[in-house]
Structures are given as C-alpha cells and as structure tokens.
C-alpha cells in the first residue's frame, strides 16, 4: 500500500483538481450537437469541498462523468495533481482511478444486486490487485465499521438493506481504496429525509478522517451552504457564478444565482417570493441562446446580453461572475437559508 | 358468507389438488425433475436399457397397440409401429439423439448469441449497427431454406442438425441479450466498476453476465421445445437424423403416414416431446428463482 503523493509543499498550494476550459459535445441522433459542458474552468484545493449546483440538464452530471474519466472531453484539460486526464495513458488512468472514487445518487442502481456486500466493497481492491483475500476481507470489515454498518453486513446482498444502508455500503466501497478525491453526485437526494442528515454527517466525518477532497453535485442549496467551501453555479453547460460558498450565498452577483437562492422555500408563512424570480424552462443544449445563455429568462437582460457571451469577471475575492451587468444589479434582500 | 365457504373449500384441498399445486406452484418442481431425470436416464442408457432392439424389424407384430388397449401385449408396452419395431425401445433410444441435439444446440447458439449480443449492446455505435444488421439479415432468411443449403453442403447428420439449429437460433439470443445489456450498462454499478478500475472483461463477467443469467435461462428453457420440433422437421425432410439412428422427431415423421392405423405411434413420441419441454420450462423457472439472490429467501 504505497501511494505516490507529490511533494507536500507543492500540494499545500497547488489545487488537487484543476479544470481548464472544459468542453463536451455529444452528437445527437438525427444530427445536431448537444453542448453539454461549455468552456468550464474551476479548481478544487486539497481537502476542499466544491459544490456544483444548477437545474436539471445544466451539465452537472456530464461534468462529473468527465472528471471521473467515464467520458472523454471534446476539448479542455482536467488536471489531477497537474497531470491531464484527457490525454492520460490507460495506465495513468488506472492510477488515477485509485485516487478518485465516486458515490452516486441512487443506491438501488449503484450496487450490483448479484454481489455480496463484501465483494462490492472489495472490488476496487481486486481491480488494483491490492492485498490478498485476507487483507481485503480485513479492509472490508474496517470500512463497514467506518460507515457504521455491522460486520455481519459483509455477507448480505444489497436488497437486504434500506436505502440509507445501501448508501453507506456505496460509501464504504468508494473509501476502500483510501482515495484522495471523491465525486458525490447527489449523494442524499434519493434518500428518506430522516437519513439524509446521517449520511451527510458520515460524509463530513470521513472527509476529516481520510483527508478527502469532495466534488459534490447537489440541487439542495441548504445542503450546499452547509457542506461546501466553494460553489459553482451552472446554467446550460456554462459556469454562471463561481466562488467561496459564503460570499456567493451572501452576495450573489449573477441574476441566475440570485433567482436560485430566492426560490428556496422558507419555513416562514409571511415570506413572499421576492422580485427576480425567474420563469420559463432551461433552454436547449442543442440550440443554446446566443450571447448570454441566460438572457431569455433574465429580468435584467439588455441588448448586449443577446449578442455577446459574457466572460468571467472577478467581482469579489475568488468570486467569478459571468454577467455583463453584475455590478449594476441590486440583489434582492437575502435572508440566510433555513437549515434542512 | 358464501365466499368464505368457497375459500375454505380451497384450503382443504384433495391430494390430487395438492399434486397439481406442487407441479404448477412454487417450490421445487418434483414432477418436472422426475420426468426430465427419466429422459436423461433414457438418453444415457439408450439401446442398453431398451427392452427390444430399437431397429428390430418384426413385420408380424406391426401396428400392435399399447399394452393397456385391446390387442396389446405387455411385451410391447407402448405398442409397435408400421415395421413392428417397439415404440418404447425407440423412444428410449431416441431420447439420446433428441437430448444431445437440444443440449448442444442450446449451449452453442446461446453462448455465441449471448456473447455477440453483449458485445453489440455494450460497445454500441458501429459495432452494434454492424452486428444487428447481420442479425437482421440472418433473421430474414427462412431457416428451413438455410437448413437445406447447409445440410446439402455438410451431408445430413447429427452434427449438421446441431450446426443448423445453432445458426438459426443465435440471432434470437443476440437480440434479446443486446436489449438487456442496453439497459444494464446504464446502471450506476457498471459506471462505478469502471471508476473502481475494473477491466472490460471483469465488467462483462462480474457485472453483466450474472445479471443476464435469468433471461438466458428462460430463453434456453423455452428453446428446448423449439429445438426438438426443429430437429423433427429437419429429420422429416430427410436433412436431419438418418436411420438407423432414432430421434423423437424422426419417429413423428415416420409415423405420420400411418396416423389412421396406429395413432399411438405418432402420439406417444409427441407426448414425450411435450412433457420434456414442459419439464424443461418449469425447471428453468425454478432455476431462475433459485439463482436470484432477491428471490432466494421468499
């Protein structure tokens, strides 16, 4: 069990994962191109939690697939420890897989119904030829303990567990290689409300214990505010706003971010939807609107928005906003989002 | 109240009802296993356990009815055919050829079909298009016409029958398995297996194959009947099993001309085919349920 880690001095400053101008296009049936991810850049520091938020169909999931190497980018770079995944050899990719694991949304689909839990958790170890049968078994039991499942769970099949327990199994599996980086794609949204907090706490605990870096995809903004250190707001494949969670949530500068935050329901009967709430549907990724992709739904849109795509501008420390009018828009009054 | 009486009557079932339930209900299919077991024993024993020589001609005792009918004798348990051959002995001897054809044809067509279907479904795109066009072309050729060509080239024999049936049926597996794989490969555990670093071979063997076993078993058990009938058609046309070999299909073909004189000569092998197919289907269902961890404890 030796892991090749870069110089700690370098690691402290350089981001663990850096994404530069990442673009992914799919050819649709019957011609046409789906622009799933367009020119997205961001980076995640070691030990950080980066959250991606946005509506369905905004490219969040495609982005995670690119980061996990399940899809090849059309252009752009995905740098992990400074090495580009897009051009990595299959051997280098195999090494990357040892460091980057994932937990997906649906625990009913993420566990093979034909495999016992012990094999599910040990599978990444087997794939990398780590340890013999006994040490793998020991690791399985260790991981079950970490995620709070009894040792007897090892010999059961997935269907014998509840959704929350299955998600624990999925987390144990993702942890078994002791990776440095983990993609969490809506890790709690398929679970009962009563177990969501437990799974979130577990994820927070193992992050501390194993020094993990998270890329989390979520649409629950309360979760994001509570859980992540940085946040990226995506709209139709592009990054609308990006920055430290605290400043993005307290001073959202992009109209889309403002609308997203305003749309969070509050447990307050006197609360009325503020101005700036957007209407309509997210546009088509096959024929995105020209200029700023958000302009057809933006209450502030002016002529320049319809013709010129905005560039990212740093309007507060670390806070990048892709909006022509960000300085002139007065954000609606924000009260902090109520917890779960 | 009337309803309650009816349900009470159903609960206190007679032995014959219970027998029917054990045959068609859940649990171990004892009857099917028994029948299939007997067929397997017959196939292994063949001529050695048959009471008469399956090809022993005795024109003097032609068209003897089965023993329980008037004019039948205990010597010829299931009667004799037009040449005085003992039908019971011929059925025992025929079980071997019939079962051999069924097993080989199903294993070969199922194996090749499933593998090709998995490749088409998993890799998609041009591979899928190419394979599926091939399947379409194959399926548009009438199987008997194809059998005629192949049998002419290879000369009729047991091997030819197996080859012809395998070539005819692999497309069946390929299509259905491809469809299964198309949905299976979108499951998160397949993506997560890739993330874990599993090779494509591992994904095929560990994640895809076990999850198509159900379908394969059902397809295979349904195919037993079709294979037996197909072998019968080939033998009937003179392209399949040749005398002195015996198969159930050949017996049907031989007895067809004398159906007016000796109904038993065509009926009894037909019943054997039917019972074997039914048993195979029920055993297939049972295996499917038993091998599925989700159903095992039910």
């Amino acid at each position: 069990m030796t892991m090749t880690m870069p110089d700690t001095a370098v690691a402290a400053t350089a981001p663990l994962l850096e994404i530069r101008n990442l673009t992914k296009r799919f050819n649709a049936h019957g011609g046409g191109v789906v622009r799933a991810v367009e020119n997205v850049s961001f980076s995640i520091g070691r030990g950080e939690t980066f959250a991606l938020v946005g509506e369905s169909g905004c490219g969040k999931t495609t982005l995670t697939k690119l980061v996990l190497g399940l899809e090849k980018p059309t252009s752009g770079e995905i740098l992990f420890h400074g090495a580009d995944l897009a051009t990595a050899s299959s051997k280098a990719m195999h090494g990357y897989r040892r460091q980057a694991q994932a937990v997906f949304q649906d625990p009913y689909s993420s566990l093979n119904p034909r495999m016992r839990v012990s094999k599910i958790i040990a599978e990444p170890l087997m794939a990398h030829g780590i340890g013999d049968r006994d040490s793998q078994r020991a690791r399985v039991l260790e991981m079950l303990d970490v995620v709070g499942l009894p040792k007897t769970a090892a010999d059961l099949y997935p269907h014998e567990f509840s959704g929350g327990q299955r998600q624990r199994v999925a987390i144990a599996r993702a942890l078994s290689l002791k990776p440095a980086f983990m993609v969490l794609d809506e890790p709690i949204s398929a679970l009962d409300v009563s177990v969501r907090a437990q799974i979130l706490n577990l994820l927070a605990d193992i992050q501390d214990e194993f020094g993990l870096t998270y890329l989390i995809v979520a649409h629950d903004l309360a979760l994001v505010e509570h859980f992540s250190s940085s946040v990226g707001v995506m709209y139709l494949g592009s990054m609308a706003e990006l920055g430290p969670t605290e400043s993005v949530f307290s001073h959202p500068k992009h109209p889309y971010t403002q609308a997203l935050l305003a749309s969070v329901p509050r447990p307050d009967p006197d609360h009325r939807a503020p101005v700036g709430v957007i209407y309509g549907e997210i546009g088509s990724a096959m024929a995105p609107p020209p200029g700023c992709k958000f302009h057809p739904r933006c209450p502030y849109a002016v002529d320049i928005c319809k013709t010129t795509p905005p560039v990212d501008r740093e309007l507060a420390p670390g806070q990048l906003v892709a909006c022509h009018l960000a300085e002139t828009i007065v954000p609606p009054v924000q009260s902090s989002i109520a917890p779960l | 109240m009337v309803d309650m009486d009816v349900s009470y009557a159903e609960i206190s079932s007679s032995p014959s009802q219970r027998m029917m339930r054990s045959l068609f209900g859940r649990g171990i299919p004892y009857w099917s296993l028994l029948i299939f077991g007997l067929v397997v024993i017959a196939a292994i024993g063949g001529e050695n356990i048959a009471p008469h020589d399956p090809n022993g001609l005795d024109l003097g005792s032609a068209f003897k009815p089965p023993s329980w009918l008037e004019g039948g004798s205990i010597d010829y348990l299931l009667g004799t055919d037009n040449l005085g051959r003992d039908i019971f002995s011929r059925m025992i001897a025929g079980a071997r050829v019939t079962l051999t054809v069924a097993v080989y044809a199903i294993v070969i067509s199922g194996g090749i079909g499933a593998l090709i279907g998995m490749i088409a479904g998993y890799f998609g795109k041009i591979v899928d298009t190419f394979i599926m066009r091939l399947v379409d072309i194959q399926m548009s050729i009438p199987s008997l016409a194809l059998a005629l060509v192949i049998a002419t080239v290879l000369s009729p024999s047991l091997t030819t029958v197996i080859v012809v049936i395998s070539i005819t049926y692999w497309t069946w597996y390929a299509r259905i398995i491809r469809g299964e794989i198309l949905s299976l490969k979108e499951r998160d555990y397949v993506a997560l297996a890739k993330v874990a670093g599993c090779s494509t071979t591992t994904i095929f063997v560990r994640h895809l194959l076990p999850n198509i076993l159900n379908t394969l078993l059902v397809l295979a058990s349904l195919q037993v009947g079709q294979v037996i009938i197909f072998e019968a058609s080939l033998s009937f046309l003179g392209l399949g099993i040749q005398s002195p070999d015996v198969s159930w299909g050949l017996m049907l073909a031989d007895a067809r001309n004398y159906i007016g004189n000796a109904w038993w000569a065509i009926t009894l092998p037909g019943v054997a085919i039917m019972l074997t197919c039914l048993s195979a289907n029920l055993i297939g269902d049972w295996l499917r349920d038993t091998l599925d961890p989700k159903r095992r404890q039910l």
Side-chain angles (χ1 to χ4, degrees):
Chain A
M1 276 283 341
T2 54
M3 276 204 216
T4 46
M5 286 287 179
D7 231 64
T8 40
V10 178
T13 51
L16 183 73
L17 185 80
E18 193 176 352
I19 290 180
R20 285 187 197 154
N21 307 322
L22 193 63
T23 298
K24 176 67 184 179
R25 296 188 180 130
F26 295 102
N27 291 319
H29 280 289
V33 175
V34 177
R35 296 154 190 270
V37 175
E38 282 242 293
N39 204 21
V40 166
S41 303
F42 64 92
S43 63
I44 311 177
R46 179 174 293 278
E48 219 195 322
T49 299
F50 187 94
L52 276 177
V53 297
E55 283 167 276
S56 307
C58 71
K60 293 174 293 185
T61 299
T62 304
L63 191 53
T64 60
K65 282 187 175 166
L66 291 166
V67 168
L68 288 169
L70 295 174
E71 299 276 0
K72 285 273 172 214
T74 308
S75 65
E77 293 174 315
I78 305 169
L79 303 172
F80 186 80
H81 283 318
D84 188 8
L85 295 185
T87 57
S89 65
S90 60
K91 200 180 163 199
M93 200 66 205
H94 197 64
Y96 167 68
R97 295 203 184 289
R98 191 162 158 178
Q99 305 235 7
Q101 290 295 305
V103 175
F104 286 164
Q105 175 174 8
D106 181 5
Y108 290 86
S109 166
S110 59
L111 307 178
N112 185 342
R114 296 270 176 172
M115 280 163 73
R116 287 179 198 278
V117 163
S118 55
K119 204 168 176 192
I120 289 173
I121 298 176
E123 186 174 47
L125 300 172
M126 298 193 279
H128 290 270
I130 296 167
D132 55 12
R133 220 167 232 283
D134 290 340
S135 67
Q136 286 174 1
R137 176 86 186 172
R139 178 69 68 85
V140 167
L141 296 179
E142 180 194 339
M143 288 304 139
L144 283 174
D145 189 50
V146 168
V147 299
L149 287 172
K151 286 183 171 36
T152 49
D155 298 315
L156 301 178
Y157 284 96
H159 73 268
E160 294 170 275
F161 296 92
S162 68
Q165 289 170 323
R166 280 167 174 249
Q167 201 63 314
R168 286 177 194 269
V169 173
I171 292 168
R173 172 195 166 94
L175 266 185
S176 67
L177 283 169
K178 305 211 165 151
F181 173 62
M182 216 184 263
V183 172
L184 308 171
D185 190 351
E186 305 260 16
I188 60 165
S189 50
L191 303 178
D192 285 346
V193 177
S194 55
V195 296
R196 287 184 180 182
Q198 297 173 15
I199 297 295
L200 265 191
N201 287 338
L202 172 64
L203 288 169
D205 289 346
I206 59 175
Q207 182 170 32
D208 290 344
E209 190 175 341
F210 295 92
L212 283 164
T213 304
Y214 284 153
L215 170 62
I216 184 168
V217 172
H219 58 241
D220 182 341
L221 294 173
L223 178 156
V224 170
E225 185 177 33
H226 168 78
F227 198 70
S228 68
S229 43
S230 305
V231 61
V233 181
M234 284 185 79
Y235 186 81
L236 213 50
S238 300
M239 201 64 94
E241 186 160 1
L242 171 72
T245 308
E246 209 185 304
S247 61
V248 170
F249 273 61
S250 59
H251 300 288
K253 299 198 186 300
H254 197 286
Y256 181 61
T257 316
Q258 293 168 4
L260 267 189
L261 290 170
S263 67
V264 174
R266 311 275 152 78
D268 175 5
D270 294 328
H271 179 82
R272 291 284 174 267
V275 286
V277 168
I278 53 169
Y279 298 97
E281 296 284 318
I282 192 164
S284 163
M286 278 179 76
C292 173
K293 288 175 179 174
F294 185 59
H295 85 258
R297 300 171 77 188
C298 181
Y300 311 103
V302 294
D303 284 346
I304 187 175
C305 305
K306 294 171 188 166
T307 53
T308 315
V311 291
D312 290 343
R313 291 179 299 147
E314 188 165 357
L315 297 180
Q319 189 171 355
L320 297 169
V321 185
C323 177
H324 296 295
L325 312 166
E327 295 95 331
T328 57
I329 296 168
V330 182
V333 180
Q334 290 290 327
S335 56
S336 168
I337 298 171
L340 295 167
Chain B
M1 284 307 290
V2 175
D3 287 347
M4 280 185 70
D5 288 341
V6 170
S7 61
Y8 179 70
E10 276 172 7
I11 292 166
S12 61
S13 51
S14 66
S16 67
Q17 279 173 315
R18 257 179 273 142
M19 196 178 82
M20 296 303 280
R21 204 175 301 143
S22 75
L23 178 56
F24 296 109
R26 282 167 165 276
I28 301 169
Y30 296 106
W31 288 98
S32 307
L33 288 172
L34 179 72
I35 292 170
F36 206 77
L38 288 177
V39 174
V40 171
I41 290 170
I44 294 167
E47 291 86 353
N48 303 325
I49 59 168
H52 295 271
D53 177 4
N55 291 310
L57 300 185
D58 182 3
L59 291 175
S61 51
F63 297 129
K64 272 209 189 304
S67 55
W68 62 87
L69 291 178
E70 202 180 323
S73 85
I74 196 73
D75 201 27
Y76 297 105
L77 200 60
L78 301 179
T80 59
D81 67 2
N82 58 317
L83 298 175
R85 294 175 295 195
D86 179 33
I87 289 176
F88 185 53
S89 305
R90 287 179 69 76
M91 277 170 64
I92 292 176
R96 176 180 290 170
V97 171
T98 302
L99 218 59
T100 310
V101 170
V103 168
Y104 275 96
I106 288 172
V107 168
I108 294 173
S109 63
I112 294 175
L115 183 66
I116 291 178
M118 283 169 83
I119 290 171
Y122 186 78
F123 292 104
K125 293 177 186 161
I126 184 84
V127 181
D128 186 29
T129 311
F130 179 76
I131 291 176
M132 283 302 120
R133 283 304 87 78
L134 210 64
V135 168
D136 289 342
I137 292 168
Q138 161 86 65
M139 285 183 127
S140 65
I141 302 172
S143 47
L144 270 180
L146 184 70
L148 253 160
V149 175
I150 296 173
T152 316
V153 174
L154 295 178
S155 81
S157 71
L158 186 70
T159 322
T160 311
V161 171
I162 293 171
V163 169
V164 167
I165 297 178
S166 303
I167 289 178
T168 308
Y169 280 108
W170 73 268
T171 54
W172 217 54
Y173 287 92
R175 274 197 158 220
I176 292 171
I177 295 304
R178 168 185 173 267
E180 286 269 298
I181 296 295
L182 282 183
S183 97
L184 272 181
K185 74 168 179 181
E186 297 302 326
R187 300 286 163 90
D188 285 344
Y189 58 77
V190 175
L192 283 170
K194 275 185 236 168
V195 170
C198 292
S199 64
T200 307
T201 319
T202 309
I203 290 173
F204 266 62
V205 173
R206 202 182 285 156
H207 296 281
L208 300 180
L209 192 59
N211 286 294
I212 59 167
L213 270 186
N214 278 352
T215 312
L216 271 183
L217 267 174
V218 173
L219 285 180
S221 62
L222 287 175
Q223 209 200 336
V224 172
Q226 297 194 343
V227 167
I228 292 175
I229 303 294
F230 201 75
E231 179 262 311
S233 336
L234 288 177
S235 302
F236 178 75
L237 289 173
L239 302 170
I241 310 303
Q242 305 289 310
S243 238
D245 283 343
V246 199
S247 79
W248 292 349
L250 191 61
M251 289 177 75
L252 290 184
D254 285 349
R256 193 193 58 113
N257 290 330
Y258 309 100
I259 191 165
N261 314 41
W263 57 266
W264 54 86
I266 193 166
T267 308
L268 296 175
V271 169
I273 291 175
M274 192 204 81
L275 285 178
T276 310
C277 298
L278 182 62
S279 305
N281 286 354
L282 291 175
I283 293 171
D285 282 356
W286 170 65
L287 279 178
R288 182 198 60 200
D289 288 355
T290 312
L291 294 176
D292 186 345
K294 249 185 234 176
R295 293 172 183 241
R296 205 175 288 162
Q297 68 202 21
L298 294 180

